[in-house]
Amino acid sequence: MNHNNTLHLIILQPTDVLFFRDGRPMEGSLAGHTAAWPLPNVINHAFHAALHRAGLSNVHLHRHGKSGEYSDDRDRKFGCLTTAGPFPLMLLNGEPPPDQQKLYLPRPLDTEVNTPQKGLRGGEEYGLPRASSTPGTEEKPTLTVTHLPVDGNWRATSSLPQPLLYPVANQRPPTKETSPKKWISSQAYQSYLNNSATQLESNDSLSDSEIAELESTIGIAIDPATGTTGHGETEGKLYIANYLRLRENFRMAVFAQAIDKEAGDLIHALFKDEPQSIIVGGQQRLCTAQRKNAPQPLPLPIGLNKKEDFNRLNDGKYAVKWILLSPAIWPEIPENQSESIKYHPGGWLPNWVCPETGHVLLKAGDTDRKPGERRDDWRKRVRELPTIRARLVAALVPKPLVVTGWALPNDVDRPEGGAKSTHLAVPAGAVYYFEADSAEDAVALAHALNWHGETAGTSIKNRRSTLLGEKGFGLGVCGTWQFHRTNGSDHHKSAINNNPERKP
């Protein structure tokens, strides 16, 4: 998505409940995974199907295939479609102009939303930094950084997985309670990137139930071959299905672009300037889609990207952290000596990080393909660029998301249909901690990892997921970090802030 004038904001309003089925079974007491917030690939597939139903003609045809093996037949359409989202969008006054809406993102895993207790300011009960407040005003909840890397020789004394150097510790006392506020506004996210403690307005942090309700129903199984029930394999079978019902003032926001070589702007041709109906998810559930030009800059948090933004550690390294705004998939890569491909375990570890040393394998400099540049020349030029001098030192990663789905039969590559391939994705909110060798390397790393690259948030440049990046996986944003400081301890590193205006 590098063309600012062709990036669209699509606002989806469900006409009823939504149903999202993946490849997991729905039998007996198993409801599958049918009512979670939809993954990015679900919305991308909905747009792709809508383009096919629209019957657009004179579009560019692509070859089908994968892993470098493609057929000679060009029978695939709409390969230019790229999307980002969906993100929860709150309409503050019932209308969707940019100044009357709030976009929400998954809360970073290294933070907690603290509700002040009587006599204490937000975060003070845990000995954490507090946000400033005006005397005589009511204390507000705060978004506080609670998890930090801990310095030490942990490789020799723990089971820390390679290539990590430091564990990430929670500064709060142990508790079984978890914050129900799983979403924060883009404005609160931006403040989090710029400061360690952020005061929140009442609608800056939300739980799942404040965005959508979960509804469950029991149904009778139907034989797909005959369309009947109560006979054969379906006799006496029931199923449970969960549905998602958005709150009245919430919508789903999606950024989309599809510039066809021959037909031009396909998104504008599909949605035009009037509300359109589009099928989203399973059971032919409808949403009303309204297209708008994407606001500039985009209403997503802008990552740190200047030399003075990043904390300098005592050993001279610069601290950069990367937080996922959307899930990412990094598959296991088998070794292929003939093509000089080394083995990579994937999973929680990005494929662009060396699994032995933790060094970042991304290139510094201009990696964009120039107009008219041949593909082979472009790849050769990028290979000759220097790598960014930085390494992964710590990570805060939750349990993986299962990414799968259910495909209908087609004559090209899936004649019988069925469950799609299953992938394990790192969820949005995961945090990766890096040490850059210099301030210049910290900036280069931020430019390579921020979703907006070197821009001021006007376009989506980087999708750091190995798989499904075009469907919205792998968006991230950069901040900075410091080591956990233990009271009375002098042997832990501390961060030296080069920016006098930043409050650690």
Side-chain angles (χ1 to χ4, degrees):
M1 293 185 183
N2 298 330
H3 306 279
N4 299 343
N5 59 342
T6 57
L7 183 59
H8 304 273
L9 170 63
I10 310 300
I11 299 177
L12 300 177
Q13 180 181 8
T15 58
D16 198 354
V17 294
L18 296 176
F19 176 81
F20 303 108
R21 181 185 179 182
D22 60 11
R24 282 172 280 189
M26 289 178 56
E27 297 179 354
S29 62
L30 301 176
H33 194 68
T34 55
W37 187 259
L39 291 171
N41 58 306
V42 174
I43 302 300
N44 183 276
H45 292 158
F47 284 14
H48 202 275
L51 288 170
H52 277 280
R53 294 189 186 99
L56 301 176
S57 59
N58 300 323
V59 297
H60 182 72
L61 299 179
H62 302 263
R63 296 181 297 168
H64 67 267
K66 60 182 180 180
S67 302
E69 298 180 1
Y70 298 92
S71 70
D72 294 330
D73 299 328
R74 291 185 174 271
D75 52 10
R76 289 297 179 93
K77 298 179 180 180
F78 314 125
C80 60
L81 174 64
T82 56
T83 56
F87 303 104
L89 184 72
M90 176 191 280
L91 307 184
L92 300 179
N93 294 317
E95 297 293 336
D99 59 340
Q100 296 295 321
Q101 62 192 26
K102 274 193 175 184
L103 193 79
Y104 290 84
L105 303 111
R107 176 173 54 82
L109 204 62
D110 65 337
T111 65
E112 287 288 346
V113 176
N114 299 316
T115 302
Q117 297 180 4
K118 186 176 181 180
L120 293 175
R121 301 184 188 273
E124 270 192 311
E125 60 267 40
Y126 307 113
L128 302 179
R130 73 183 187 186
S132 59
S133 61
T134 303
T137 61
E138 182 181 355
E139 292 299 326
K140 299 179 179 179
T142 59
L143 180 71
T144 307
V145 176
T146 57
H147 292 69
L148 293 172
V150 181
D151 186 29
N153 186 19
W154 297 100
R155 295 292 309 159
T157 59
S158 72
S159 59
L160 199 66
Q162 199 172 6
L164 303 184
L165 297 182
Y166 316 118
V168 179
N170 191 345
Q171 300 180 82
R172 295 175 56 172
T175 178
K176 294 184 179 180
E177 297 181 1
T178 58
S179 173
K181 305 293 186 179
K182 303 299 183 183
W183 303 86
I184 62 173
S185 68
S186 182
Q187 294 86 343
Y189 212 118
Q190 189 66 62
S191 298
Y192 150 76
L193 293 174
N194 297 331
N195 201 337
S196 60
T198 303
Q199 282 194 343
L200 302 177
E201 299 298 330
S202 59
N203 59 4
D204 275 333
S205 61
L206 300 176
S207 61
D208 289 335
S209 60
E210 292 175 291
I211 297 175
E213 287 186 286
L214 175 67
E215 297 183 6
S216 299
T217 60
I218 298 177
I220 302 174
I222 298 177
D223 187 341
T226 63
T228 61
T229 184
H231 304 283
E233 294 183 358
T234 62
E235 183 177 0
K237 286 189 175 181
L238 303 175
Y239 70 90
I240 299 176
N242 293 329
Y243 297 88
L244 199 68
R245 184 183 296 277
L246 263 63
R247 299 288 184 181
E248 183 65 27
N249 59 331
F250 275 92
R251 307 288 187 267
M252 292 188 292
V254 183
F255 300 101
Q257 183 182 61
I259 304 302
D260 189 84
K261 292 181 179 180
E262 300 177 18
D265 191 342
L266 299 181
I267 297 297
H268 191 276
L270 174 64
F271 294 108
K272 303 175 183 177
D273 295 319
E274 298 179 355
Q276 304 287 328
S277 293
I278 180 176
I279 296 175
V280 177
Q283 298 186 353
Q284 301 291 297
R285 300 289 174 171
L286 287 177
C287 286
T288 299
Q290 187 173 5
R291 186 204 66 83
K292 296 179 176 294
N293 293 329
Q296 298 293 322
L298 301 184
L300 295 172
I302 306 299
L304 304 186
N305 53 20
K306 299 177 181 177
K307 293 181 181 180
E308 60 271 18
D309 289 338
F310 301 104
N311 292 335
R312 183 175 181 268
L313 304 174
N314 277 354
D315 60 0
K317 305 289 186 180
Y318 286 79
V320 181
K321 71 177 177 182
W322 183 57
I323 311 100
L324 281 174
L325 301 180
S326 65
I329 301 175
W330 295 301
E332 181 182 20
I333 299 177
E335 183 179 13
N336 189 332
Q337 295 182 355
S338 62
E339 297 185 10
S340 301
I341 297 177
K342 296 182 179 180
Y343 171 79
H344 197 288
W348 66 271
L349 184 65
N351 294 128
W352 36 266
V353 171
C354 177
E356 289 85 20
T357 65
H359 290 144
V360 174
L361 304 177
L362 300 174
K363 299 292 186 176
D366 184 10
T367 59
D368 288 341
R369 187 178 178 184
K370 302 181 183 302
E373 187 176 22
R374 296 178 65 252
R375 185 178 298 273
D376 291 341
D377 296 337
W378 167 59
R379 289 177 173 174
K380 179 181 178 181
R381 178 174 61 82
V382 172
R383 281 196 298 268
E384 294 174 351
L385 291 174
T387 57
I388 299 172
R389 297 180 302 164
R391 68 161 299 168
L392 178 68
V393 295
L396 189 59
V397 181
K399 293 181 179 180
L401 294 174
V402 177
V403 181
T404 178
W406 198 265
L408 297 176
N410 66 78
D411 297 331
V412 178
D413 58 359
R414 198 183 293 270
E416 298 181 358
K420 296 181 180 180
S421 300
T422 299
H423 300 288
L424 296 180
V426 176
V431 185
Y432 290 84
Y433 301 85
F434 299 87
E435 287 182 349
D437 287 0
S438 66
E440 291 76 14
D441 287 300
V443 171
L445 182 61
H447 287 165
L449 296 183
N450 279 325
W451 62 267
H452 52 85
E454 298 184 31
T455 73
T458 56
S459 62
I460 299 178
K461 302 280 287 185
N462 297 318
R463 301 160 180 263
R464 290 303 174 189
S465 177
T466 303
L467 299 179
L468 307 185
E470 74 283 357
K471 294 176 172 59
F473 284 74
L475 301 183
V477 67
C478 287
T480 190
W481 58 275
Q482 61 185 12
F483 279 104
H484 172 68
R485 298 174 181 175
T486 305
N487 292 334
S489 174
D490 296 328
H491 68 277
H492 290 319
K493 293 180 186 176
S494 60
I496 301 175
N497 192 347
N498 286 341
N499 183 357
E501 297 182 358
R502 177 181 294 280
K503 298 179 181 179

